[in-house]
């Protein structure tokens, strides 16, 4: 096998479990429903409905693009084919920055739940430290290869999802419909903020695109996988959001919202199982963190293979078939975000809105590419629909869109520097071509008879 070519070994079950469900379920079931409820009250259910309906064509576009261009570059490849090499490089750099910004959120919340179970009342910086350990553990698990981490994901996901479904079934009948009135207690204008918070739950559908190079028969596997995953995720999301709306008060602060799942567990069981709730939540969030680390490592691998970042990161381990150097590169990549949070003593909630806006721009680039790449059939109208809806969401993002603009400007500047360096090297090669090597004189062999004649 070539040194930087990945093996195709993932089928429909692996795609659904390892790349779709675990990419979107964790924080979506445990954290975002409570934060959305605290922000908008009953109006949050409208935001959930809008985004759940939007998620199927949204994910379908990524499935179609991954089928047409099955490569670990993911979104960057779609943009490059549609708009050219330089646009693709800008998209690749911006996507990498977005991933490094957003991915730590999940590991940090997992660490917060875990520390709350083991040492209640610990400081925010202690939670950040435990979250960093969780992230390092997921990076280590990804070094073992997709098959090993996939088996772990499947076993644990089945158990934890079963527990969450049981909690929903037990808590929902104890809810009060009176909590759904008034519909907009914090005014209708907060719908935009609520959409922004809930949108973070739908980050992850694109996570399957970078592993398209490892999927068997992408033309069949992706459409089947996305249909199954969207149905499961949509039902679970809305069921959890409705349960939260009917049973929990909406006057929680940010930190309480991050760990509000334990209050729901108390409502469901009638007893204080706080420690169990924290542990269940942390396990599910670790699964999601693991899936996001895998997707990001494949983007690093693809960018290294293209020479956008150091090529040495594209080397694949012959033993596990994993781009181990790309996986290890996540350690310094995530360190900047973790360091800034620790230095300012901020919690991970500040990253949720910034990440949502950054990803929204990634998705818009993908959908604009799809319009150029898929010009016939029903998918053409699906592309128009998701592009229009995504563009209409931008005005609701407020000041948070400034973060995305700064990151995009940074990606443009880095690409400009890369292009300038390439032109300089090309001009130098043309102006000062390497000197041709002079032929080496053949050694002179002395023959006695010939020498006598010459004399």
């Amino acid at each position: 096998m070539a040194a930087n070519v990945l093996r195709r070994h993932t089928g429909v079950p692996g795609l659904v479990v390892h790349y779709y469900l675990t990419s979107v379920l964790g924080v979506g079931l445990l954290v975002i429903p409570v934060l959305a409820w605290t922000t908008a009250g009953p109006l949050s259910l409208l935001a959930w409905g809008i985004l759940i309906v939007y998620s199927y064509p949204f994910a379908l576009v990524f499935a179609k693009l991954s089928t047409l261009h099955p490569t670990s570059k993911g979104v960057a490849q779609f943009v490059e084919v549609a708009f050219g090499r330089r646009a693709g490089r800008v998209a690749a750099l911006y996507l990498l920055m977005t991933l490094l910004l957003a991915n730590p959120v999940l590991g940090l919340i997992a660490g917060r739940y875990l520390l709350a179970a083991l040492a209640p009342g610990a400081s925010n910086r202690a939670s950040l430290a435990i979250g960093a350990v969780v992230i390092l553990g997921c990076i280590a698990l990804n070094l073992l290869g997709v098959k090993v981490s996939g088996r772990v994901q499947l076993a644990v996901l089945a158990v934890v999802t079963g527990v969450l479904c049981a909690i929903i079934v037990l808590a929902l009948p104890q809810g009060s419909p009176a909590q759904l009135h008034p519909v907009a207690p914090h005014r209708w204008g907060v719908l935009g903020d609520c959409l922004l918070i809930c949108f973070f739950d739908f980050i992850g559908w694109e996570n399957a695109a970078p592993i398209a190079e490892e999927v068997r028969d992408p033309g069949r596997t992706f459409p089947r996988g996305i249909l199954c995953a969207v149905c499961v995720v949509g039902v679970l999301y809305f069921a959890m959001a409705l349960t939260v709306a009917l049973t929990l008060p909406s006057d929680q602060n940010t930190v309480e919202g991050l760990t509000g799942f334990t209050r729901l567990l108390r409502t469901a069981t009638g007893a204080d199982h706080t420690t169990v709730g924290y542990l269940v939540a942390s396990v599910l969030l670790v699964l999601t963190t693991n899936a996001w680390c895998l997707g990001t490592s494949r983007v690093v691998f693809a960018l290294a293979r293209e020479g956008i970042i150091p090529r040495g990161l594209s080397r694949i381990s012959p033993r596990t078939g994993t781009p181990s150097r790309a996986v290890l590169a996540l350690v310094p990549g995530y360190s900047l975000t973790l360091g800034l949070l620790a230095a300012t003593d901020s919690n991970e909630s500040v990253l949720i809105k910034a990440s949502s806006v950054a990803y929204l721009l990634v998705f818009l680039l993908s959908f604009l590419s799809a319009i150029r790449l898929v010009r016939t059939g029903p998918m053409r109208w699906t592309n128009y629909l998701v592009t229009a809806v995504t563009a209409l969401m931008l005005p609701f993002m407020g000041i948070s869109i400034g973060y995305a603009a700064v990151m995009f400007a940074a990606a443009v500047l880095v690409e400009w520097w890369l292009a300038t360096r390439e032109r300089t090297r090309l001009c130098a090669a043309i102006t000062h071509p390497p000197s041709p090597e002079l032929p080496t004189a053949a050694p002179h062999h002395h023959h006695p008879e010939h020498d006598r004649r010459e004399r």
Side-chain angles (χ1 to χ4, degrees):
M1 185 178 66
N4 58 356
V5 177
L6 299 169
R7 292 194 299 263
R8 293 192 180 276
H9 50 73
T10 302
V12 174
L15 184 66
V16 171
V17 172
H18 197 57
Y19 305 109
Y20 281 135
L21 297 187
T22 54
S23 290
V24 298
L25 278 184
V27 72
L29 286 175
L30 303 175
V31 178
I32 302 300
V34 181
L35 290 179
W37 170 247
T38 303
T39 300
L43 192 60
S44 63
L45 295 178
L46 176 60
W48 282 110
I50 291 171
L51 290 174
I52 288 170
V53 172
Y54 167 67
S55 68
Y56 181 65
F58 171 96
L60 198 61
V61 171
F62 277 105
K64 181 65 175 179
L65 291 174
S66 298
T67 299
L68 293 175
H69 305 284
T71 170
S72 55
K73 285 181 69 176
V75 171
Q77 178 68 18
F78 311 150
V79 176
E80 180 174 336
V81 175
F83 299 106
R85 180 169 177 262
R86 295 197 63 179
R89 291 202 304 190
V90 171
L93 292 165
Y94 176 73
L95 175 62
L96 182 59
M97 293 179 192
T98 301
L99 290 168
L100 297 179
L101 170 70
N103 286 11
V105 172
L106 303 171
L108 293 175
I109 298 177
R112 187 174 298 279
Y113 270 106
L114 186 61
L115 189 62
L118 302 176
S123 68
N124 178 65
R125 285 196 171 99
S127 295
L128 294 176
I130 297 299
V133 172
V134 169
I135 294 171
L136 288 174
C138 291
I139 291 173
L141 183 60
N142 273 282
L143 289 173
L144 300 177
V146 172
K147 287 187 176 181
V148 175
S149 59
R151 293 189 188 107
V152 175
Q153 296 271 104
L154 177 59
V156 180
L157 180 67
V159 174
V160 174
T161 304
V163 171
L164 292 174
C165 289
I167 291 172
I168 292 172
V169 170
L170 291 172
L172 197 56
Q174 302 182 48
S176 172
Q179 293 211 149
L180 300 182
H181 301 284
V183 174
H186 308 295
R187 64 186 173 79
W188 284 83
V190 299
L191 179 61
D193 283 342
C194 191
L195 282 170
L196 184 58
I197 292 171
C198 294
F199 186 78
F200 189 86
D201 265 1
F202 297 89
I203 295 172
W205 293 118
E206 83 295 341
N207 222 18
I211 56 89
E213 209 170 311
E214 299 169 75
V215 172
R216 295 194 304 265
D217 192 5
R220 297 180 61 191
T221 302
F222 272 104
R224 293 181 179 182
I226 197 61
L227 178 61
C228 177
V230 166
C231 292
V232 173
V233 169
V235 170
L236 286 176
Y237 273 4
F238 197 80
M240 181 61 80
L242 182 61
T243 304
V244 167
L246 293 177
T247 59
L248 296 186
S250 60
D251 58 348
Q252 303 175 90
N253 59 39
T254 301
V255 175
E256 289 175 332
L258 288 171
T259 57
F261 169 70
T262 55
R263 300 183 67 175
L264 186 62
L265 180 61
R266 189 181 308 124
T267 301
T269 62
D272 190 359
H273 296 297
T274 302
T275 301
V276 175
Y278 285 147
L279 292 176
V280 169
S282 62
V283 169
L284 184 56
L285 287 163
V286 166
L287 294 182
T288 311
T289 305
N290 186 61
W292 280 34
C293 287
L294 186 145
T296 304
S297 69
R298 296 320 189 253
V299 173
V300 173
F301 163 78
L303 268 60
R305 191 169 58 181
E306 295 287 323
I308 299 175
I309 58 179
R311 291 185 183 274
L313 298 177
S314 66
R315 184 175 177 81
I316 293 176
S317 168
R319 184 174 60 86
T320 62
T322 299
S324 53
R325 293 185 181 180
V327 174
L328 289 172
L330 300 182
V331 176
Y334 292 152
S335 295
L336 177 60
T337 300
L338 296 174
L340 288 174
L341 289 177
T344 58
D345 198 15
S346 302
N347 63 52
E348 55 276 15
S349 65
V350 301
L351 296 178
I352 291 178
K353 287 187 178 182
S355 300
S356 294
V357 179
Y359 267 106
L360 191 65
L361 187 53
V362 170
F363 299 150
L364 186 58
L365 291 172
S366 302
F367 301 150
L368 291 172
S369 301
I371 289 176
R372 296 199 65 172
L373 297 176
V374 184
R375 297 173 180 264
T376 59
M379 277 302 301
R380 177 183 56 169
W381 301 107
T382 302
N383 296 337
Y384 288 138
L385 172 65
V386 295
T387 303
V389 173
T390 305
L392 288 172
M393 290 174 66
L394 287 174
F396 292 100
M397 302 307 168
I399 194 172
S400 297
I401 202 167
Y403 300 121
V406 170
M407 290 170 56
F408 192 81
V412 171
L413 287 175
V414 173
E415 197 286 327
W416 174 81
W417 176 76
L418 290 172
T420 302
R421 188 179 63 171
E422 287 178 356
R423 285 196 299 268
T424 301
R425 289 178 176 176
L426 181 61
C427 290
I430 295 174
T431 307
H432 305 288
S435 301
E437 295 185 3
L438 296 174
T440 304
H444 179 69
H445 298 283
H446 295 277
H447 298 282
E449 183 65 27
H450 180 270
D451 292 345
R452 280 195 299 272
R453 290 174 182 172
E454 290 294 323
R455 288 195 294 267

